Amino acid sequence: MFTLAMRSVRQRPGRFVATLLSTFLGAVVVMTFNSMHDTASAPGIDALSKETLTIAASVVGGYGTFLVFFAVASTLTVNVRQRGEEIALLRRSGATPAQIKRMVVFEAVAVAVVGTVLAFGPAMLGGDRLLVLFKDTDQVAQGVDFSFGPIAVASGFAITLVASVGAAFLAVRRAAKVAAGGAKPRGRGKNLAGAAAFVLGIGGVFSTFALDKSDVALMAGPVYGAILLAAGFAILSPAILRLVLGALARPITALTGASGYLTVHNMRRRASELSGVLMPLILFIGIACATLYMQAIQSDAAKASGIAPTGEDKNVETLNYVVVGIIVVFSCIMLINSLYAATTYRTREFGQQRLAGATPAQVLGMIALESVILTVTGVFFATVAAVAGVVPFSMVRVDTATPDQDLGIWLVVVGIGAVATIATSVGTAYRGLRTPAVDAVTLAA
């Protein structure tokens, strides 16, 4: 199976581009921040600089690990589903489910190793720029030199490999069972993971009320609570999407006609696949809004008190903005990556719909409407997760559940997510529709 996996990667490298990009970006994030551990462990570093570097590496390294797994899982899931016929052929040829799982895992490992090696240069550059940022804000002494060493390298390989192996195993398990003629897995593990995320998220949110408004760690509980709630919605996104479609099917069809009918039919059938789009969208909007609003509340409260911010306050603020910046870039690329891979795969489906009588405009309208439904669904549940963290933080920090901040932050974050979702889906579909319907069906078969 190892030989077969390597042959598959060499013969058809295009199918692994999305996964390679996900592992590459994940390794860049992980190694960039873990290089702060290497820098902090160098001899002669003062205590304040060491604390700043260690906190940055620990906090953002945790975010990075979380995002890497979701990124790799979403792209690998799309990759494996696109290969359903190939997996079924291998099963008919005598391959066992265990052999197919090993093949896909070997492929994922090979791609993860390549992605991590390619990430070395950008991670070194990113770590150096991050250290300069800390120096410019007087959080790290000017004499501290950047170091990219064993901690960054080991964490990069370890995290991307573990994420790739775990995501590959979960993605291929379902495909192998279906190819063998069995029923689709019921997703009990996913439901349990989603429920656990909700329970832990609620616990994190309510932990805010156990702290004083002057506590340095006040923001930690609601931020992590909002992140876990967003993760819970992301994990359970297939079920959420089915509920949304069940409630809106008739109004959508009545208002939009043929395109609406095609949209509802396809989204119901492909709810599990489309969850790969909802995941990064919910995480991006939920985490970005929660962190930015809490930091804005914190900064305005500090200004109103007339107390000059301490070095620790500056450290927290810098970390929050850096974290959000990384989430914006990483999640948007992950979103675009997943959408492009999923929509490109549907070229044959578009051809079949056109041969059945649908016009290119109707198919494009279906994709546009599908993107709007995904965007609205993602925005709603991401906003719920963010508000669940922001309101308790505001109640403790400034004694009100409705802080003074306006909708500006929310509108910017939602706008980025909406543009990325709709533009990528419609643009990729338009490109696919330029292929004649007969050729699209024949070439993709």
Side-chain angles (χ1 to χ4, degrees):
M1 280 297 141
F2 177 78
T3 303
L4 185 60
M6 293 301 98
R7 185 182 302 166
S8 176
V9 173
R10 289 196 302 268
Q11 291 179 348
R12 300 186 65 182
R15 66 165 50 152
F16 300 103
V17 170
T19 307
L20 178 63
L21 181 59
S22 294
T23 54
F24 166 76
L25 292 170
V28 169
V29 172
V30 170
M31 291 195 292
T32 292
F33 283 92
N34 277 285
S35 67
M36 297 298 100
H37 279 307
D38 289 308
T39 303
S41 62
I45 303 293
D46 64 280
L48 180 59
S49 297
K50 188 170 186 176
E51 181 183 9
T52 297
L53 295 171
T54 301
I55 290 174
S58 301
V59 173
V60 186
Y63 281 111
T65 302
F66 178 76
L67 291 173
V68 168
F69 183 81
F70 271 92
V72 176
S74 63
T75 51
L76 269 174
T77 299
V78 172
N79 178 288
V80 171
R81 282 173 177 152
Q82 290 174 353
R83 300 166 64 187
E85 293 182 4
E86 176 189 338
I87 291 173
L89 178 61
L90 288 171
R91 288 289 292 121
R92 290 194 294 270
S93 301
T96 66
Q99 289 174 325
I100 293 173
K101 288 175 185 176
R102 287 198 295 270
M103 180 191 73
V104 175
V105 169
F106 285 147
E107 291 172 353
V109 168
V111 172
V113 170
V114 173
T116 304
V117 171
L118 292 175
F120 278 12
M124 290 179 185
L125 179 61
D128 183 66
R129 292 298 89 194
L130 183 60
L131 182 61
V132 170
L133 173 64
F134 285 132
K135 289 180 179 180
D136 290 344
T137 54
D138 298 323
Q139 298 173 70
V140 172
Q142 294 297 321
V144 175
D145 295 323
F146 174 67
S147 176
F148 189 90
I151 299 177
V153 173
S155 64
F157 276 108
I159 291 173
T160 53
L161 286 174
V162 169
S164 296
V165 170
F169 180 82
L170 292 174
V172 77
R173 175 175 173 268
R174 178 189 181 102
K177 186 171 183 178
V178 172
K184 293 182 179 180
R186 296 182 180 180
R188 291 176 181 172
K190 180 182 288 189
N191 292 338
L192 287 174
F198 281 128
V199 171
L200 293 173
I202 293 171
V205 167
F206 278 99
S207 70
T208 311
F209 297 106
L211 300 175
D212 185 76
K213 66 174 62 181
S214 60
D215 253 312
V216 176
L218 178 62
M219 200 181 296
V223 166
Y224 276 109
I227 291 172
L228 288 168
L229 289 173
F233 286 129
I235 293 169
L236 298 177
S237 54
I240 289 172
L241 189 56
R242 290 189 183 96
L243 289 174
V244 170
L245 290 171
L248 301 179
R250 288 187 178 179
I252 290 172
T253 304
L255 291 172
T256 56
S259 292
Y261 173 80
L262 288 173
T263 300
V264 173
H265 175 75
N266 279 283
M267 292 187 76
R268 279 177 168 169
R269 183 171 55 87
R270 300 179 59 253
S272 296
E273 289 90 334
L274 291 172
S275 65
V277 176
L278 276 180
M279 277 187 183
L281 185 62
I282 292 174
L283 290 173
F284 161 51
I285 295 175
I287 297 174
C289 286
T291 308
L292 285 174
Y293 270 107
M294 287 186 217
Q295 184 57 58
I297 293 169
Q298 173 68 21
S299 299
D300 289 350
K303 288 178 184 178
S305 67
I307 301 174
T310 65
E312 195 166 18
D313 293 333
K314 291 181 179 179
N315 189 9
V316 171
E317 184 174 4
T318 302
L319 274 176
N320 284 335
Y321 287 130
V322 169
V323 167
V324 171
I326 289 172
I327 290 171
V328 168
V329 175
F330 191 88
S331 297
C332 277
I333 293 176
M334 182 169 68
L335 177 63
I336 293 169
N337 198 21
S338 300
L339 274 169
Y340 180 81
T343 308
T344 301
Y345 170 62
R346 298 174 66 186
T347 301
R348 183 184 182 187
E349 174 192 330
F350 299 156
Q352 291 172 332
Q353 289 169 345
R354 290 160 64 191
L355 290 176
T359 65
Q362 287 173 332
V363 175
L364 203 61
M366 174 194 74
I367 295 298
L369 184 56
E370 186 178 283
S371 302
V372 170
I373 294 172
L374 286 173
T375 301
V376 172
T377 303
V379 167
F380 177 79
F381 288 100
T383 302
V384 170
V387 169
V390 171
V391 169
F393 177 79
S394 179
M395 291 173 67
V396 174
R397 186 66 182 86
V398 293
D399 300 318
T400 177
T402 55
D404 295 333
Q405 283 67 32
D406 57 27
L407 291 176
I409 295 173
W410 182 83
L411 290 173
V412 170
V413 174
V414 168
I416 294 172
V419 169
T421 302
I422 297 171
T424 304
S425 296
V426 175
T428 307
Y430 177 77
R431 180 181 177 185
L433 288 170
R434 294 171 64 182
T435 303
V438 174
D439 292 343
V441 174
T442 304
L443 293 174

Coordinates of all heavy atoms in Angstrom, one line a residue, residues 48-126:
L48 N 11.5 39.4 31.3 CA 10.3 40.0 30.6 C 10.3 39.5 29.1 O 9.2 39.1 28.6 CB 10.4 41.5 30.7 CG 9.2 42.2 30.0 CD1 7.9 41.8 30.6 CD2 9.4 43.7 30.1
S49 N 11.4 39.5 28.4 CA 11.4 39.1 27.0 C 11.1 37.6 26.9 O 10.3 37.2 26.1 CB 12.8 39.3 26.4 OG 13.1 40.7 26.4
K50 N 11.6 36.8 27.8 CA 11.3 35.4 27.8 C 9.9 35.1 28.1 O 9.3 34.2 27.4 CB 12.2 34.7 28.9 CG 12.1 33.2 28.8 CD 13.2 32.6 29.7 CE 13.2 31.1 29.6 NZ 14.3 30.5 30.4
E51 N 9.3 35.8 29.0 CA 7.8 35.6 29.3 C 7.0 36.0 28.1 O 6.1 35.2 27.7 CB 7.4 36.5 30.5 CG 5.9 36.3 30.8 CD 5.5 37.2 32.0 OE1 6.3 38.1 32.4 OE2 4.4 37.0 32.5
T52 N 7.3 37.1 27.4 CA 6.5 37.5 26.2 C 6.6 36.5 25.1 O 5.6 36.1 24.5 CB 7.1 38.9 25.7 OG1 6.9 39.9 26.7 CG2 6.3 39.3 24.4
L53 N 7.8 36.0 24.9 CA 8.0 35.1 23.8 C 7.3 33.7 24.1 O 6.8 33.1 23.2 CB 9.5 34.9 23.5 CG 10.3 36.1 23.0 CD1 11.8 35.8 23.0 CD2 9.8 36.5 21.6
T54 N 7.4 33.3 25.3 CA 6.8 32.0 25.7 C 5.3 32.1 25.6 O 4.7 31.1 25.2 CB 7.3 31.7 27.2 OG1 8.7 31.6 27.2 CG2 6.7 30.3 27.6
I55 N 4.7 33.2 26.1 CA 3.3 33.3 26.0 C 2.8 33.3 24.6 O 1.8 32.6 24.2 CB 2.8 34.6 26.7 CG1 3.0 34.5 28.2 CG2 1.3 34.9 26.4 CD1 2.7 35.8 29.0
A56 N 3.5 34.1 23.7 CA 3.1 34.1 22.3 C 3.2 32.7 21.7 O 2.3 32.3 21.0 CB 4.1 35.1 21.5
A57 N 4.2 32.0 22.0 CA 4.4 30.7 21.4 C 3.3 29.7 21.9 O 2.8 28.9 21.1 CB 5.8 30.1 21.7
S58 N 3.0 29.8 23.2 CA 2.1 28.9 23.8 C 0.6 29.1 23.3 O -0.1 28.2 23.0 CB 2.2 28.9 25.3 OG 3.5 28.6 25.8
V59 N 0.2 30.4 23.4 CA -1.2 30.8 23.1 C -1.4 30.5 21.6 O -2.4 29.8 21.2 CB -1.4 32.2 23.5 CG1 -2.8 32.6 23.0 CG2 -1.3 32.4 25.0
V60 N -0.6 31.1 20.7 CA -0.9 31.1 19.3 C -0.5 29.7 18.8 O -1.1 29.2 17.8 CB -0.1 32.2 18.5 CG1 -0.5 32.2 17.1 CG2 -0.4 33.5 19.1
G61 N 0.4 29.0 19.4 CA 0.7 27.6 19.0 C -0.5 26.7 19.2 O -0.8 25.8 18.4
G62 N -1.3 27.0 20.3 CA -2.5 26.2 20.5 C -3.5 26.5 19.4 O -4.2 25.6 18.9
Y63 N -3.7 27.8 19.1 CA -4.6 28.1 18.0 C -4.2 27.5 16.7 O -5.0 26.9 16.0 CB -4.6 29.7 17.8 CG -5.4 30.5 18.7 CD1 -4.8 31.3 19.6 CD2 -6.8 30.5 18.7 CE1 -5.6 32.1 20.5 CE2 -7.6 31.3 19.5 CZ -6.9 32.1 20.4 OH -7.7 32.8 21.3
G64 N -2.9 27.5 16.4 CA -2.3 27.0 15.2 C -2.6 25.5 15.1 O -3.1 25.0 14.0
T65 N -2.4 24.7 16.2 CA -2.7 23.3 16.1 C -4.2 23.0 15.8 O -4.5 22.1 15.0 CB -2.4 22.7 17.5 OG1 -1.0 22.9 17.8 CG2 -2.6 21.2 17.5
F66 N -5.1 23.8 16.5 CA -6.5 23.6 16.2 C -6.9 23.9 14.8 O -7.6 23.2 14.2 CB -7.2 24.6 17.2 CG -8.7 24.7 17.1 CD1 -9.4 23.7 17.6 CD2 -9.3 25.7 16.4 CE1 -10.8 23.7 17.6 CE2 -10.7 25.8 16.4 CZ -11.5 24.8 16.9
L67 N -6.3 25.0 14.2 CA -6.7 25.4 12.9 C -6.1 24.4 11.8 O -6.7 24.1 10.8 CB -6.2 26.8 12.6 CG -6.9 27.9 13.3 CD1 -6.2 29.2 13.0 CD2 -8.3 28.0 12.8
V68 N -4.9 23.9 12.1 CA -4.2 23.0 11.2 C -5.1 21.7 11.0 O -5.3 21.2 9.9 CB -2.8 22.6 11.7 CG1 -2.3 21.4 10.9 CG2 -1.9 23.7 11.5
F69 N -5.6 21.2 12.1 CA -6.4 20.0 12.1 C -7.7 20.2 11.2 O -8.0 19.4 10.4 CB -6.8 19.5 13.4 CG -7.6 18.2 13.4 CD1 -6.9 17.0 13.3 CD2 -9.0 18.2 13.5 CE1 -7.6 15.8 13.2 CE2 -9.7 17.0 13.4 CZ -9.0 15.8 13.3
F70 N -8.4 21.3 11.5 CA -9.6 21.6 10.7 C -9.3 21.8 9.2 O -10.0 21.4 8.3 CB -10.3 22.8 11.3 CG -11.3 22.5 12.3 CD1 -10.9 22.5 13.7 CD2 -12.6 22.2 12.0 CE1 -11.8 22.2 14.7 CE2 -13.5 21.8 13.0 CZ -13.1 21.8 14.4
A71 N -8.1 22.5 8.9 CA -7.8 22.8 7.5 C -7.5 21.5 6.8 O -8.0 21.2 5.7 CB -6.6 23.7 7.5
V72 N -6.6 20.7 7.4 CA -6.3 19.4 6.7 C -7.5 18.5 6.7 O -7.7 17.8 5.6 CB -5.1 18.7 7.5 CG1 -4.8 17.4 6.9 CG2 -3.9 19.6 7.5
A73 N -8.3 18.5 7.7 CA -9.5 17.6 7.7 C -10.4 18.0 6.6 O -11.0 17.1 5.9 CB -10.2 17.7 9.0
S74 N -10.7 19.3 6.4 CA -11.6 19.7 5.4 C -11.1 19.3 4.0 O -11.9 18.9 3.1 CB -11.9 21.2 5.5 OG -10.7 21.9 5.3
T75 N -9.9 19.6 3.7 CA -9.4 19.3 2.3 C -9.2 17.8 2.1 O -9.5 17.3 1.0 CB -8.0 20.0 2.1 OG1 -7.1 19.7 3.2 CG2 -8.2 21.5 2.1
L76 N -8.8 17.1 3.1 CA -8.6 15.6 2.9 C -10.0 15.0 2.7 O -10.1 14.0 1.9 CB -7.9 15.0 4.1 CG -6.4 14.9 4.0 CD1 -5.9 14.4 5.3 CD2 -6.0 14.0 2.9
T77 N -11.0 15.5 3.4 CA -12.4 14.9 3.2 C -12.8 15.1 1.8 O -13.4 14.2 1.2 CB -13.3 15.6 4.2 OG1 -12.9 15.3 5.5 CG2 -14.7 15.0 4.0
V78 N -12.6 16.3 1.2 CA -13.0 16.5 -0.2 C -12.2 15.6 -1.1 O -12.8 15.0 -2.0 CB -12.7 18.0 -0.5 CG1 -12.9 18.2 -2.0 CG2 -13.7 18.9 0.2
N79 N -10.9 15.5 -0.8 CA -10.1 14.6 -1.7 C -10.5 13.2 -1.7 O -10.7 12.6 -2.7 CB -8.6 14.7 -1.1 CG -7.7 13.8 -1.9 OD1 -7.7 12.6 -1.8 ND2 -6.8 14.5 -2.7
V80 N -10.9 12.6 -0.5 CA -11.3 11.2 -0.4 C -12.6 11.0 -1.1 O -12.9 10.0 -1.8 CB -11.3 10.8 1.0 CG1 -11.9 9.4 1.2 CG2 -9.9 10.7 1.6
R81 N -13.6 12.0 -0.9 CA -14.9 11.8 -1.5 C -14.8 11.9 -3.0 O -15.6 11.3 -3.7 CB -15.8 12.9 -1.0 CG -16.3 12.6 0.4 CD -17.1 13.7 1.0 NE -17.7 13.3 2.3 CZ -17.9 14.2 3.3 NH1 -17.7 15.4 3.1 NH2 -18.4 13.8 4.5
Q82 N -13.9 12.7 -3.5 CA -13.7 12.7 -5.0 C -13.2 11.4 -5.6 O -13.3 11.2 -6.8 CB -12.7 13.9 -5.3 CG -13.3 15.2 -5.1 CD -12.2 16.3 -5.3 OE1 -11.1 16.0 -5.5 NE2 -12.6 17.6 -5.3
R83 N -12.7 10.6 -4.7 CA -12.1 9.3 -5.2 C -12.9 8.1 -4.8 O -12.4 7.0 -4.7 CB -10.7 9.2 -4.5 CG -9.7 10.3 -4.9 CD -8.5 10.3 -4.0 NE -7.7 9.1 -4.2 CZ -6.6 8.8 -3.5 NH1 -6.2 9.7 -2.5 NH2 -5.9 7.7 -3.7
G84 N -14.2 8.4 -4.7 CA -15.1 7.3 -4.3 C -15.1 6.1 -5.3 O -15.1 4.9 -4.9
E85 N -15.1 6.4 -6.6 CA -15.1 5.4 -7.6 C -13.8 4.6 -7.6 O -13.7 3.4 -7.7 CB -15.3 6.0 -9.0 CG -16.7 6.5 -9.2 CD -16.9 7.1 -10.6 OE1 -16.0 6.9 -11.4 OE2 -18.0 7.7 -10.8
E86 N -12.7 5.3 -7.4 CA -11.4 4.6 -7.3 C -11.3 3.7 -6.1 O -10.8 2.6 -6.2 CB -10.3 5.7 -7.2 CG -8.9 5.1 -7.0 CD -7.8 6.2 -6.6 OE1 -8.1 7.4 -7.0 OE2 -6.8 5.8 -6.0
I87 N -11.8 4.1 -4.9 CA -11.8 3.3 -3.7 C -12.7 2.1 -3.9 O -12.4 1.0 -3.5 CB -12.2 4.1 -2.5 CG1 -11.2 5.2 -2.2 CG2 -12.5 3.2 -1.3 CD1 -11.6 6.2 -1.1
A88 N -13.9 2.3 -4.6 CA -14.8 1.2 -4.9 C -14.1 0.1 -5.8 O -14.2 -1.1 -5.6 CB -16.1 1.7 -5.5
L89 N -13.3 0.6 -6.8 CA -12.6 -0.3 -7.7 C -11.6 -1.1 -6.9 O -11.4 -2.3 -7.2 CB -12.0 0.5 -8.8 CG -11.2 -0.3 -9.8 CD1 -12.0 -1.3 -10.5 CD2 -10.5 0.7 -10.9
L90 N -10.8 -0.4 -6.0 CA -9.8 -1.1 -5.2 C -10.5 -2.2 -4.4 O -9.9 -3.3 -4.2 CB -9.1 -0.1 -4.3 CG -8.1 0.8 -5.1 CD1 -7.6 1.9 -4.1 CD2 -6.9 0.0 -5.6
R91 N -11.7 -1.9 -3.8 CA -12.4 -2.9 -3.0 C -12.8 -4.1 -3.9 O -12.6 -5.3 -3.5 CB -13.6 -2.3 -2.4 CG -13.3 -1.3 -1.3 CD -12.8 -2.0 0.0 NE -13.8 -2.8 0.6 CZ -13.7 -4.1 0.8 NH1 -12.7 -4.8 0.5 NH2 -14.7 -4.8 1.4
R92 N -13.3 -3.8 -5.1 CA -13.7 -4.9 -6.0 C -12.5 -5.7 -6.5 O -12.6 -6.9 -6.8 CB -14.5 -4.4 -7.2 CG -15.8 -3.8 -6.8 CD -16.7 -3.6 -8.1 NE -16.1 -2.5 -8.9 CZ -16.4 -1.3 -8.8 NH1 -17.3 -0.9 -7.9 NH2 -15.9 -0.4 -9.6
S93 N -11.3 -5.1 -6.4 CA -10.1 -5.8 -6.9 C -9.5 -6.6 -5.8 O -8.4 -7.3 -6.0 CB -9.0 -4.8 -7.4 OG -9.6 -4.0 -8.5
G94 N -10.0 -6.6 -4.6 CA -9.6 -7.4 -3.5 C -8.9 -6.7 -2.3 O -8.5 -7.3 -1.3
A95 N -8.8 -5.3 -2.4 CA -8.2 -4.6 -1.3 C -9.1 -4.5 -0.1 O -10.3 -4.4 -0.3 CB -7.8 -3.2 -1.8
T96 N -8.5 -4.7 1.0 CA -9.3 -4.6 2.3 C -9.5 -3.2 2.7 O -8.7 -2.3 2.3 CB -8.6 -5.4 3.4 OG1 -7.4 -4.8 3.7 CG2 -8.4 -6.8 2.9
P97 N -10.5 -2.9 3.5 CA -10.6 -1.5 4.1 C -9.4 -1.0 4.8 O -9.0 0.1 4.7 CB -11.8 -1.6 5.0 CG -12.6 -2.7 4.5 CD -11.6 -3.7 3.9
A98 N -8.7 -1.9 5.5 CA -7.5 -1.6 6.2 C -6.4 -1.2 5.2 O -5.6 -0.2 5.5 CB -7.0 -2.7 7.1
Q99 N -6.3 -1.8 4.1 CA -5.3 -1.5 3.1 C -5.5 -0.1 2.5 O -4.6 0.7 2.3 CB -5.2 -2.6 2.1 CG -4.6 -3.9 2.5 CD -4.7 -5.0 1.5 OE1 -5.6 -5.1 0.7 NE2 -3.7 -5.9 1.5
I100 N -6.8 0.1 2.2 CA -7.2 1.4 1.6 C -6.9 2.5 2.6 O -6.4 3.6 2.3 CB -8.7 1.4 1.2 CG1 -8.9 0.4 0.1 CG2 -9.1 2.8 0.8 CD1 -10.3 0.2 -0.3
K101 N -7.2 2.3 3.9 CA -6.9 3.3 4.9 C -5.4 3.6 5.0 O -5.0 4.8 5.1 CB -7.4 2.8 6.3 CG -8.9 2.8 6.4 CD -9.4 2.2 7.8 CE -10.9 2.1 7.8 NZ -11.3 1.5 9.1
R102 N -4.6 2.5 4.9 CA -3.2 2.7 5.0 C -2.7 3.5 3.8 O -1.8 4.4 3.9 CB -2.4 1.4 5.1 CG -2.6 0.7 6.5 CD -1.5 -0.4 6.7 NE -1.7 -1.5 5.7 CZ -2.4 -2.5 6.0 NH1 -3.1 -2.6 7.1 NH2 -2.5 -3.5 5.1
M103 N -3.2 3.2 2.6 CA -2.8 3.9 1.4 C -3.1 5.4 1.5 O -2.2 6.3 1.3 CB -3.6 3.4 0.2 CG -3.2 4.1 -1.1 SD -4.4 3.7 -2.5 CE -5.8 4.6 -2.0
V104 N -4.3 5.8 2.0 CA -4.6 7.2 2.1 C -3.8 7.9 3.2 O -3.4 9.0 3.0 CB -6.2 7.4 2.4 CG1 -6.5 8.8 2.6 CG2 -7.0 6.8 1.2
V105 N -3.6 7.2 4.3 CA -2.7 7.7 5.4 C -1.3 7.9 4.9 O -0.7 9.0 5.2 CB -2.8 6.8 6.6 CG1 -1.7 7.2 7.6 CG2 -4.2 6.8 7.3
F106 N -0.8 7.0 4.1 CA 0.6 7.1 3.6 C 0.6 8.4 2.7 O 1.6 9.1 2.7 CB 1.0 5.9 2.8 CG 1.4 4.7 3.7 CD1 1.1 3.4 3.3 CD2 2.0 4.9 4.9 CE1 1.5 2.4 4.1 CE2 2.3 3.9 5.8 CZ 2.1 2.6 5.4
E107 N -0.4 8.5 1.8 CA -0.4 9.7 0.9 C -0.4 11.0 1.8 O 0.3 11.9 1.5 CB -1.7 9.6 0.1 CG -1.7 8.6 -1.0 CD -3.1 8.4 -1.7 OE1 -4.0 9.1 -1.2 OE2 -3.2 7.7 -2.6
A108 N -1.3 11.0 2.8 CA -1.3 12.2 3.7 C 0.0 12.5 4.3 O 0.4 13.7 4.4 CB -2.5 12.0 4.7
V109 N 0.7 11.5 4.8 CA 2.0 11.7 5.4 C 3.0 12.2 4.4 O 3.7 13.1 4.8 CB 2.5 10.3 6.0 CG1 3.9 10.4 6.4 CG2 1.6 9.9 7.2
A110 N 3.0 11.7 3.2 CA 3.9 12.1 2.2 C 3.7 13.6 1.9 O 4.6 14.4 1.8 CB 3.8 11.3 0.9
V111 N 2.4 14.0 1.7 CA 2.1 15.4 1.4 C 2.4 16.3 2.6 O 3.0 17.4 2.4 CB 0.6 15.5 1.1 CG1 0.2 17.0 0.9 CG2 0.3 14.7 -0.2
A112 N 2.2 15.8 3.8 CA 2.5 16.6 5.0 C 4.0 16.8 5.2 O 4.4 18.0 5.5 CB 2.0 15.9 6.3
V113 N 4.8 15.8 4.9 CA 6.3 16.0 5.0 C 6.7 17.1 4.0 O 7.5 18.0 4.3 CB 7.0 14.7 4.7 CG1 8.5 14.9 4.6 CG2 6.7 13.7 5.9
V114 N 6.2 17.0 2.7 CA 6.6 17.9 1.7 C 6.1 19.3 2.1 O 6.9 20.3 2.0 CB 6.0 17.5 0.3 CG1 6.2 18.6 -0.7 CG2 6.6 16.2 -0.2
G115 N 4.9 19.5 2.6 CA 4.4 20.8 3.0 C 5.2 21.4 4.1 O 5.4 22.6 4.1
T116 N 5.6 20.6 5.1 CA 6.3 21.1 6.2 C 7.7 21.5 5.8 O 8.2 22.6 6.2 CB 6.5 20.0 7.3 OG1 5.2 19.6 7.7 CG2 7.2 20.5 8.5
V117 N 8.4 20.8 4.9 CA 9.7 21.1 4.4 C 9.6 22.5 3.7 O 10.5 23.4 3.8 CB 10.3 20.0 3.5 CG1 11.6 20.5 2.9 CG2 10.6 18.8 4.4
L118 N 8.6 22.6 2.8 CA 8.4 23.8 2.1 C 8.2 25.0 3.0 O 8.4 26.2 2.6 CB 7.3 23.7 1.1 CG 7.5 22.7 -0.1 CD1 6.3 22.6 -1.0 CD2 8.7 23.2 -1.0
A119 N 7.6 24.8 4.2 CA 7.3 25.8 5.1 C 8.4 26.4 5.9 O 8.3 27.4 6.5 CB 6.2 25.3 6.1
F120 N 9.6 25.8 5.8 CA 10.7 26.2 6.6 C 11.1 27.7 6.3 O 11.2 28.5 7.3 CB 12.0 25.3 6.3 CG 12.0 24.1 7.1 CD1 10.9 23.6 7.8 CD2 13.1 23.3 7.1 CE1 10.9 22.4 8.5 CE2 13.2 22.1 7.8 CZ 12.1 21.7 8.5
G121 N 11.3 28.0 5.1 CA 11.7 29.4 4.7 C 10.7 30.4 5.2 O 11.0 31.4 5.9
P122 N 9.4 30.3 4.8 CA 8.4 31.3 5.2 C 8.2 31.4 6.8 O 8.0 32.4 7.3 CB 7.1 30.8 4.6 CG 7.5 30.0 3.4 CD 8.8 29.4 3.8
A123 N 8.4 30.2 7.4 CA 8.3 30.2 8.9 C 9.4 31.0 9.5 O 9.2 31.7 10.5 CB 8.2 28.8 9.4
M124 N 10.6 30.8 9.0 CA 11.8 31.6 9.5 C 11.6 33.1 9.3 O 11.8 33.9 10.2 CB 13.1 31.1 8.8 CG 13.5 29.7 9.1 SD 15.0 29.3 8.1 CE 15.3 27.6 8.6
L125 N 11.1 33.4 8.1 CA 10.9 34.9 7.9 C 9.7 35.4 8.8 O 9.9 36.5 9.3 CB 10.5 35.0 6.4 CG 10.1 36.5 5.9 CD1 11.3 37.4 6.1 CD2 9.7 36.5 4.5
G126 N 8.7 34.6 8.9 CA 7.6 35.0 9.8 C 8.0 35.2 11.2 O 7.6 36.1 11.9

